[in-house]
Amino acid sequence: MLLNGKEIKFFYSIWAHCEIGDWIIANQKASNFRGIMQKALIMNEAAIKAGMGGEKLTPEDFEDLPGSAFFEIKAEIDRQEQEDCKISVETKKTGKKTVKP
């Protein structure tokens, strides 16, 4: 995602999951909107930690953005979270047929 001329990447790692949970517990009176912005900061840091590249997102990067950017950021972190939490199952074909009783 391009934000303020910076290439920003997000990653929903186990570390990010724990950091987000801890932030929510420590900031129970914060607004949902502030929580989403914090989630973006954490997921960006997780991407950098994982060596995915991109630039570091800072709280100041949000200050002069139009309100519409909030929904773009939220959509991007939601999409990335779904991708990183996707479960895939590999099956092995045995060649045996099952018979229903």
Side-chain angles (χ1 to χ4, degrees):
M1 153 171 239
L2 198 59
L3 190 65
N4 289 339
K6 292 181 174 183
E7 180 62 34
I8 304 297
K9 302 209 182 232
F10 300 107
F11 180 50
Y12 195 80
S13 65
I14 293 172
W15 175 83
H17 180 80
C18 293
E19 288 293 308
I20 292 163
D22 289 348
W23 187 91
I24 290 169
I25 290 169
N27 296 278
Q28 291 183 26
K29 293 185 179 188
S31 70
N32 183 44
F33 301 109
R34 195 162 306 278
I36 290 167
M37 293 295 100
Q38 187 63 35
K39 185 176 184 178
L41 291 167
I42 291 169
M43 287 178 64
N44 170 249
E45 187 174 346
I48 293 168
K49 283 177 177 258
M52 297 171 71
E55 296 185 58
K56 184 167 177 69
L57 188 60
T58 66
E60 292 78 24
D61 289 322
F62 300 126
E63 290 178 357
D64 295 326
L65 293 175
S68 61
F70 172 83
F71 299 104
E72 292 175 29
I73 294 166
K74 182 176 182 329
E76 182 61 22
I77 63 175
D78 288 348
R79 185 198 64 73
Q80 190 65 50
E81 182 179 355
Q82 286 180 345
E83 184 176 314
D84 294 335
C85 291
K86 194 180 299 178
I87 297 172
S88 62
V89 178
E90 291 185 31
T91 59
K92 183 177 179 182
K93 191 172 184 175
T94 63
K96 296 180 182 178
K97 293 184 178 182
T98 57
V99 179
K100 292 183 180 179

